[in-house]
Short mmCIF file of all heavy atoms in Angstrom, two decimals:
data_model
loop_
_atom_site.label_atom_id
_atom_site.label_comp_id
_atom_site.label_asym_id
_atom_site.label_seq_id
_atom_site.Cartn_x
_atom_site.Cartn_y
_atom_site.Cartn_z
N VAL A 1 -69.87 56.03 30.50
CA VAL A 1 -70.76 54.96 30.07
C VAL A 1 -71.86 55.60 29.25
O VAL A 1 -72.57 56.49 29.74
CB VAL A 1 -71.35 54.19 31.27
CG1 VAL A 1 -72.46 53.25 30.83
CG2 VAL A 1 -70.25 53.42 31.99
N ASP A 2 -72.00 55.16 28.01
CA ASP A 2 -73.05 55.68 27.14
C ASP A 2 -74.40 55.17 27.66
O ASP A 2 -74.67 53.98 27.62
CB ASP A 2 -72.81 55.22 25.71
CG ASP A 2 -73.72 55.92 24.72
OD1 ASP A 2 -74.83 56.35 25.11
OD2 ASP A 2 -73.34 56.02 23.55
N ALA A 3 -75.21 56.10 28.15
CA ALA A 3 -76.51 55.75 28.73
C ALA A 3 -77.65 55.99 27.75
O ALA A 3 -78.82 55.96 28.13
CB ALA A 3 -76.73 56.54 30.01
N GLY A 4 -77.32 56.23 26.48
CA GLY A 4 -78.36 56.36 25.47
C GLY A 4 -78.78 57.80 25.21
O GLY A 4 -78.02 58.73 25.44
N THR A 5 -79.99 57.94 24.72
CA THR A 5 -80.51 59.25 24.34
C THR A 5 -81.11 59.96 25.56
O THR A 5 -81.19 59.40 26.66
CB THR A 5 -81.60 59.11 23.27
OG1 THR A 5 -82.74 58.48 23.87
CG2 THR A 5 -81.12 58.31 22.07
N ALA A 6 -81.56 61.18 25.32
CA ALA A 6 -82.21 61.95 26.40
C ALA A 6 -83.45 61.20 26.92
O ALA A 6 -83.77 61.29 28.11
CB ALA A 6 -82.58 63.33 25.90
N ASP A 7 -84.11 60.45 26.04
CA ASP A 7 -85.27 59.67 26.49
C ASP A 7 -84.89 58.58 27.47
O ASP A 7 -85.73 58.10 28.24
CB ASP A 7 -85.98 59.03 25.29
CG ASP A 7 -86.70 60.05 24.43
OD1 ASP A 7 -87.01 61.17 24.93
OD2 ASP A 7 -86.98 59.74 23.25
N ASP A 8 -83.62 58.17 27.48
CA ASP A 8 -83.14 57.13 28.39
C ASP A 8 -82.60 57.70 29.70
O ASP A 8 -82.25 56.94 30.61
CB ASP A 8 -82.02 56.32 27.71
CG ASP A 8 -82.48 55.63 26.45
OD1 ASP A 8 -83.55 55.00 26.49
OD2 ASP A 8 -81.78 55.73 25.43
N ALA A 9 -82.51 59.01 29.81
CA ALA A 9 -81.87 59.64 30.97
C ALA A 9 -82.58 59.32 32.28
O ALA A 9 -81.95 59.36 33.34
CB ALA A 9 -81.80 61.15 30.77
N TRP A 10 -83.85 58.96 32.25
CA TRP A 10 -84.56 58.61 33.48
C TRP A 10 -83.88 57.44 34.20
O TRP A 10 -83.98 57.31 35.41
CB TRP A 10 -86.03 58.27 33.21
CG TRP A 10 -86.22 56.98 32.48
CD1 TRP A 10 -86.28 56.80 31.12
CD2 TRP A 10 -86.36 55.69 33.06
NE1 TRP A 10 -86.42 55.46 30.83
CE2 TRP A 10 -86.49 54.76 32.01
CE3 TRP A 10 -86.38 55.22 34.37
CZ2 TRP A 10 -86.64 53.39 32.24
CZ3 TRP A 10 -86.54 53.86 34.59
CH2 TRP A 10 -86.67 52.96 33.52
N ARG A 11 -83.13 56.63 33.47
CA ARG A 11 -82.47 55.46 34.06
C ARG A 11 -81.33 55.84 35.02
O ARG A 11 -80.83 54.99 35.74
CB ARG A 11 -81.92 54.55 32.96
CG ARG A 11 -83.02 53.93 32.13
CD ARG A 11 -82.47 52.98 31.08
NE ARG A 11 -83.56 52.35 30.40
CZ ARG A 11 -84.27 51.32 30.86
NH1 ARG A 11 -83.98 50.79 32.01
NH2 ARG A 11 -85.25 50.81 30.15
N MET A 12 -80.95 57.12 35.03
CA MET A 12 -79.89 57.56 35.94
C MET A 12 -80.38 58.66 36.87
O MET A 12 -79.59 59.30 37.54
CB MET A 12 -78.66 58.00 35.15
CG MET A 12 -78.88 59.14 34.20
SD MET A 12 -77.33 59.53 33.39
CE MET A 12 -77.93 60.20 31.86
N GLN A 13 -81.67 58.87 36.93
CA GLN A 13 -82.22 59.89 37.80
C GLN A 13 -82.26 59.42 39.25
O GLN A 13 -82.01 58.24 39.56
CB GLN A 13 -83.62 60.29 37.33
CG GLN A 13 -83.59 61.05 36.03
CD GLN A 13 -84.97 61.41 35.53
OE1 GLN A 13 -85.97 60.92 36.02
NE2 GLN A 13 -85.02 62.26 34.52
N ALA A 14 -82.59 60.34 40.12
CA ALA A 14 -82.61 60.07 41.56
C ALA A 14 -83.35 58.78 41.90
O ALA A 14 -84.45 58.53 41.41
CB ALA A 14 -83.25 61.24 42.30
N ARG A 15 -82.68 57.99 42.71
CA ARG A 15 -83.20 56.75 43.32
C ARG A 15 -83.30 55.57 42.36
O ARG A 15 -83.93 54.57 42.67
CB ARG A 15 -84.52 56.98 44.04
CG ARG A 15 -84.53 58.15 44.99
CD ARG A 15 -83.42 58.10 46.01
NE ARG A 15 -83.43 59.35 46.76
CZ ARG A 15 -82.36 60.07 47.02
NH1 ARG A 15 -81.18 59.68 46.64
NH2 ARG A 15 -82.46 61.19 47.69
N THR A 16 -82.67 55.68 41.19
CA THR A 16 -82.51 54.49 40.35
C THR A 16 -81.21 53.81 40.78
O THR A 16 -80.38 54.42 41.45
CB THR A 16 -82.43 54.87 38.85
OG1 THR A 16 -81.28 55.70 38.65
CG2 THR A 16 -83.70 55.56 38.37
N PRO A 17 -80.99 52.55 40.40
CA PRO A 17 -79.76 51.86 40.80
C PRO A 17 -78.47 52.54 40.33
O PRO A 17 -77.42 52.34 40.93
CB PRO A 17 -79.91 50.48 40.17
CG PRO A 17 -81.38 50.27 40.09
CD PRO A 17 -81.94 51.64 39.75
N ALA A 18 -78.55 53.38 39.31
CA ALA A 18 -77.36 54.07 38.80
C ALA A 18 -77.09 55.39 39.50
O ALA A 18 -76.04 55.97 39.33
CB ALA A 18 -77.50 54.32 37.30
N TYR A 19 -78.02 55.85 40.32
CA TYR A 19 -77.92 57.18 40.93
C TYR A 19 -77.16 57.15 42.24
O TYR A 19 -77.53 56.44 43.18
CB TYR A 19 -79.33 57.73 41.19
CG TYR A 19 -79.35 59.06 41.88
CD1 TYR A 19 -79.14 60.23 41.17
CD2 TYR A 19 -79.58 59.15 43.24
CE1 TYR A 19 -79.15 61.46 41.81
CE2 TYR A 19 -79.60 60.37 43.89
CZ TYR A 19 -79.39 61.52 43.17
OH TYR A 19 -79.41 62.73 43.80
N CYS A 20 -76.07 57.90 42.30
CA CYS A 20 -75.31 58.10 43.54
C CYS A 20 -74.95 56.78 44.21
O CYS A 20 -75.19 56.58 45.39
CB CYS A 20 -76.12 59.00 44.48
SG CYS A 20 -75.17 59.64 45.86
N THR A 21 -74.39 55.85 43.41
CA THR A 21 -74.04 54.54 43.94
C THR A 21 -72.58 54.17 43.69
O THR A 21 -72.16 53.08 44.05
CB THR A 21 -74.97 53.45 43.37
OG1 THR A 21 -75.04 53.56 41.95
CG2 THR A 21 -76.37 53.56 43.96
N ASP A 22 -71.79 55.06 43.10
CA ASP A 22 -70.35 54.86 42.90
C ASP A 22 -70.01 53.47 42.36
O ASP A 22 -69.44 52.63 43.04
CB ASP A 22 -69.59 55.11 44.21
CG ASP A 22 -69.45 56.57 44.53
OD1 ASP A 22 -69.95 57.41 43.76
OD2 ASP A 22 -68.83 56.90 45.56
N LEU A 23 -70.33 53.25 41.09
CA LEU A 23 -70.12 51.95 40.45
C LEU A 23 -69.02 52.04 39.39
O LEU A 23 -68.78 53.11 38.83
CB LEU A 23 -71.42 51.50 39.78
CG LEU A 23 -72.63 51.38 40.69
CD1 LEU A 23 -73.89 51.09 39.87
CD2 LEU A 23 -72.42 50.31 41.75
N ASP A 24 -68.40 50.90 39.09
CA ASP A 24 -67.48 50.87 37.96
C ASP A 24 -68.30 50.74 36.67
O ASP A 24 -69.53 50.62 36.72
CB ASP A 24 -66.43 49.75 38.12
CG ASP A 24 -66.99 48.35 38.08
OD1 ASP A 24 -68.04 48.09 37.42
OD2 ASP A 24 -66.37 47.46 38.69
N ALA A 25 -67.64 50.78 35.53
CA ALA A 25 -68.34 50.81 34.24
C ALA A 25 -69.22 49.57 34.03
O ALA A 25 -70.37 49.70 33.59
CB ALA A 25 -67.35 50.96 33.10
N ARG A 26 -68.72 48.40 34.35
CA ARG A 26 -69.51 47.18 34.17
C ARG A 26 -70.75 47.20 35.07
O ARG A 26 -71.86 46.92 34.61
CB ARG A 26 -68.66 45.94 34.47
CG ARG A 26 -69.38 44.62 34.22
CD ARG A 26 -68.52 43.42 34.62
NE ARG A 26 -68.05 43.50 35.99
CZ ARG A 26 -68.79 43.23 37.07
NH1 ARG A 26 -70.05 42.90 36.94
NH2 ARG A 26 -68.28 43.33 38.28
#
């Protein structure tokens, strides 16, 4: 899943909804 630029990487850091939650692409 394209999560954007390095400036957007915070959206997948620890304790965000995308972090360690085993989700499908959608």
